[in-house]
Amino acid sequence: MEHILHAVRCQYLTPNFLREQMKNCDVLKKVPACREYLAQIFKDLTLHKKPVVKERTPNTRRVIYIAGGFLKHSLDVLEGYNVDEKTWTQHAKLIVPRSGLGGAFLKGMFYAVGGRNNSPDSRYDSDWVDRYNPVTDQWRACSPMSVPRNRVGVAVMDGLLYAVGGSAGAEYHNSVECYDPDHDSWSNVKPMHIKRLGVGVAVVNRLLYAIGGFDGTNRLNSVECYHPENDEWTMVSPMKCSRSGAGVANLGQYIYVVGGYDGTRQLNSVERYDTERDMWEHVSSVTIARSALSVTVLDGKLYAMGGYDGEHFLNIVEIYDPAKDTWEQGVPMTSGRSGHASAVSYHQCPIHCDHLDHNMSLEKPPS
């Protein structure tokens, strides 16, 4: 039995799931060797150790989804870029146009979180959360956040969706809340030390990092790290450059921060944080200085998409190869935009996620 268990990538299960299995599973109670194996994995996860095995990448269609954004007004578009076919495809529109939103895939669904509806006939910051099912090409409304969050940072950790910082009008948030998709509910966690609008977020080894942003007075170079075990934020080494509205994503042990705005100008500089050494270093710059771009990871490369260069809304896509420390041009987006959200889907929505849409109807936008 233990040999079968060793063939499973248990390192990518959540600590809560492992705890429940070790407590309640009758099979594990009868096979001590299996329980001890899972106990060691549980310990490594809670100590935030780097997994000893690589996460399996499904050999299926890979799509980068881009939602919302701003081009003269907030957008309701959802587009998918098929990396293998190098084509962009239009999908079902957002329920409400939004820019400054966050996005992430969780359990096969794409979540669009917060943002601002900045349209000719409507201007308001949003607490809305919508979920897109790639199989049915439909959006569903989820429970809203506790407060509106424009230019919010969004990340997934332990099967939960975290919404970090942002703003509601002139109120800048240091608050953080997390969403449980199985219960369609939000709960607050410990707030950050600093208020952050336009914050970048990333997760490495079950630690959530909040990077840079704007506190209402200054652009920030400070970085905080959230430990879910003790519900605490700790300060780590600051970036070399203060910036808000940067594109942020992680590759392995590194967190990359691309472009942004320093309070005077848009930036083309890129720096990366080594989470194991608590050190920052510069890497090759992007071609065009820009802020309010989105960055996502696919096949071990960074995709930096769109943004604003101080005069124009960009459709440019640049792809970074960390092995060569070089950027190359990708297939541009169908139109320029800034303040959009992006995330990667490797596969269709799992069957076990169908229950997420039960008893939920398509929603109409608020009046």
Side-chain angles (χ1 to χ4, degrees):
M1 181 69 181
E2 55 265 37
H3 299 297
I4 297 175
L5 196 58
H6 277 265
V8 180
R9 288 172 166 81
C10 298
Q11 293 83 357
Y12 293 95
L13 298 171
T14 68
N16 285 340
F17 178 83
L18 290 174
R19 183 190 294 112
E20 288 300 313
Q21 296 305 309
M22 289 188 293
K23 178 181 178 181
N24 299 319
C25 179
D26 292 334
V27 175
L28 292 178
K29 293 176 182 177
K30 297 175 183 178
V31 188
C34 290
R35 191 182 188 286
E36 290 171 7
Y37 174 67
L38 293 181
Q40 183 60 52
I41 292 175
F42 175 85
K43 180 180 178 181
D44 290 345
L45 286 172
T46 54
L47 291 175
H48 307 283
K49 291 186 177 181
K50 184 178 180 179
V52 295
V53 296
K54 290 185 177 180
E55 188 172 12
R56 181 181 284 116
T57 301
N59 186 24
T60 57
R61 190 170 68 104
R62 293 92 47 78
V63 177
I64 300 174
Y65 286 89
I66 292 183
F70 187 87
L71 178 63
K72 298 182 181 179
H73 55 79
S74 294
L75 305 174
D76 61 2
V77 297
L78 175 69
E79 295 181 313
Y81 177 69
N82 186 310
V83 178
D84 301 306
E85 299 175 1
K86 292 181 168 50
T87 56
W88 288 94
T89 304
Q90 297 280 332
H91 298 285
K93 295 181 181 298
L94 281 164
I95 297 172
V96 177
R98 281 182 278 171
S99 53
L101 71 166
F105 261 93
L106 174 59
K107 295 186 176 181
M109 302 280 196
F110 178 80
Y111 287 82
V113 180
R116 177 175 175 81
N117 184 358
N118 200 351
S119 302
D121 57 348
S122 183
R123 294 174 183 269
Y124 62 89
D125 294 329
S126 175
D127 59 2
W128 268 52
V129 180
D130 300 317
R131 178 174 60 233
Y132 173 75
N133 186 331
V135 175
T136 62
D137 191 34
Q138 288 184 322
W139 288 94
R140 307 273 181 176
C142 304
S143 292
M145 294 179 288
S146 63
V147 293
R149 296 182 186 273
N150 179 34
R151 301 187 67 192
V152 60
V154 170
V156 171
M157 182 169 64
D158 289 345
L160 302 173
L161 187 74
Y162 284 77
V164 181
S167 70
E171 180 184 356
Y172 297 85
H173 301 314
N174 65 345
S175 61
V176 181
E177 49 191 312
C178 67
Y179 176 78
D180 184 337
D182 293 329
H183 297 96
D184 187 33
S185 62
W186 288 90
S187 58
N188 289 312
V189 300
K190 189 73 171 287
M192 297 179 289
H193 296 287
I194 300 170
K195 297 177 181 180
R196 298 178 187 271
L197 166 77
V199 60
V201 296
V203 173
V204 179
N205 296 335
R206 298 188 55 255
L207 294 171
L208 172 65
Y209 293 84
I211 301 167
F214 179 60
D215 65 3
T217 304
N218 300 303
R219 268 72 196 179
L220 306 170
N221 67 348
S222 60
V223 182
E224 305 185 45
C225 177
Y226 177 72
H227 298 247
E229 278 74 33
N230 55 10
D231 190 31
E232 289 289 344
W233 289 89
T234 58
M235 306 302 295
V236 298
S237 291
M239 292 184 289
K240 296 179 180 293
C241 176
S242 299
R243 59 182 93 200
S244 64
V248 174
N250 71 286
L251 259 174
Q253 73 192 56
Y254 298 104
I255 299 174
Y256 289 81
V257 180
V258 182
Y261 182 70
D262 67 0
T264 304
R265 59 188 176 89
Q266 272 72 27
L267 305 171
N268 68 345
S269 63
V270 181
E271 48 187 310
R272 72 177 187 182
Y273 176 67
D274 187 332
T275 58
E276 295 184 3
R277 297 191 298 158
D278 190 30
M279 290 178 56
W280 288 90
E281 62 181 349
H282 283 292
V283 297
S284 291
S285 299
V286 287
T287 304
I288 299 176
R290 45 193 161 134
S291 59
L293 69 158
S294 73
V295 174
T296 194
V297 172
L298 185 61
D299 293 339
K301 296 181 179 180
L302 295 177
Y303 285 70
M305 298 170 287
Y308 179 66
D309 68 1
E311 295 183 359
H312 305 101
F313 297 96
L314 307 173
N315 68 349
I316 186 174
V317 175
E318 296 187 70
I319 305 170
Y320 177 76
D321 185 341
K324 300 176 182 178
D325 189 29
T326 57
W327 290 90
E328 65 179 17
Q329 297 292 311
V331 178
M333 297 187 294
T334 57
S335 67
R337 72 199 70 172
S338 68
H340 48 285
S342 64
V344 172
S345 170
Y346 285 96
H347 48 79
Q348 299 295 341
C349 179
I351 294 174
H352 75 268
C353 288
D354 287 349
H355 72 280
L356 294 175
D357 281 339
H358 286 178
N359 303 318
M360 296 182 72
S361 60
L362 285 169
E363 298 286 342
K364 296 180 180 180
S367 58

